[in-house]
Amino acid sequence: WSDHVNASRIAREVNEVSAIIGAAEDVLWPAVRPRAAVGIVSARSASYYDQWEVTGHEADGTCLGCCTSSLLSLAEAHDAEVFSIWKLLTMRNIPVDFLSEDSLRNQSVLAGYKAIIITEANVPSASMTGALTWARTVPNATLLLSPFAGQL
């Protein structure tokens, strides 16, 4: 390289790239995704309650997609919110895990998380109690509830 016209510039750029790679060595070397600090609760119970509410109020039975109170629009709203949050965090290189409602009852499962996000209504009482216990007992824990989350 010494006989190349831009040898000093090339050496400097190689040095800069090596420094960037070196700074990420703890992630690159083990080639393992870092443990997620954020958990998003996957909706499960909400869809059953949504179905009951729609079929309980509609005289003709369940609406499957022709109106804003349909099962499909409600399910799509839950899924779209979870997907949008996941995408936002993932694009910023923040590892995310998806949690079941049942996992909220187990404090040892929640112990490693810094933030838990609940977007659905009708979370079972025991699961919501577990999430609130985690938020109160883990230092610097953040429990993010979207509007109507946890509502019965």
Side-chain angles (χ1 to χ4, degrees):
W1 291 25
S2 61
D3 60 343
H4 194 278
V5 176
N6 294 317
S8 62
R9 182 186 56 82
I10 292 171
R12 187 174 56 253
E13 290 173 358
V14 168
N15 186 38
E16 288 173 11
V17 169
S18 296
I20 291 169
I21 293 171
E25 189 70 24
D26 59 334
V27 176
L28 295 175
W29 172 248
V32 176
R33 176 180 162 267
R35 188 181 191 290
V38 178
I40 301 174
V41 178
S42 296
R44 180 186 69 208
S45 294
S47 61
Y48 296 113
Y49 284 99
D50 290 343
Q51 182 175 7
W52 177 83
E53 290 168 1
V54 171
T55 57
H57 296 294
E58 295 291 329
D60 297 328
T62 303
C63 173
L64 294 176
C66 58
C67 62
T68 57
S69 65
S70 74
L71 292 179
L72 294 177
S73 67
L74 292 170
E76 288 171 3
H78 290 303
D79 294 343
E81 189 171 16
V82 167
F83 176 76
S84 297
I85 293 168
W86 169 82
K87 185 165 183 159
L88 172 79
L89 295 171
T90 302
M91 289 178 65
R92 282 154 182 78
N93 292 321
I94 299 172
V96 177
D97 284 342
F98 288 96
L99 304 172
S100 70
E101 293 171 354
D102 297 333
S103 65
L104 295 175
R105 301 174 189 180
N106 188 341
Q107 295 301 306
S108 63
V109 171
L110 304 180
Y113 293 101
K114 295 180 182 177
I116 294 177
I117 301 167
I118 301 175
T119 63
E120 65 170 312
N122 304 311
V123 174
S125 175
S127 299
M128 188 55 81
T129 300
L132 293 172
T133 300
W134 169 84
R136 290 182 185 125
T137 57
V138 174
N140 300 316
T142 301
L143 180 59
L144 176 66
L145 303 173
S146 65
F148 305 112
Q151 170 183 311
L152 291 176

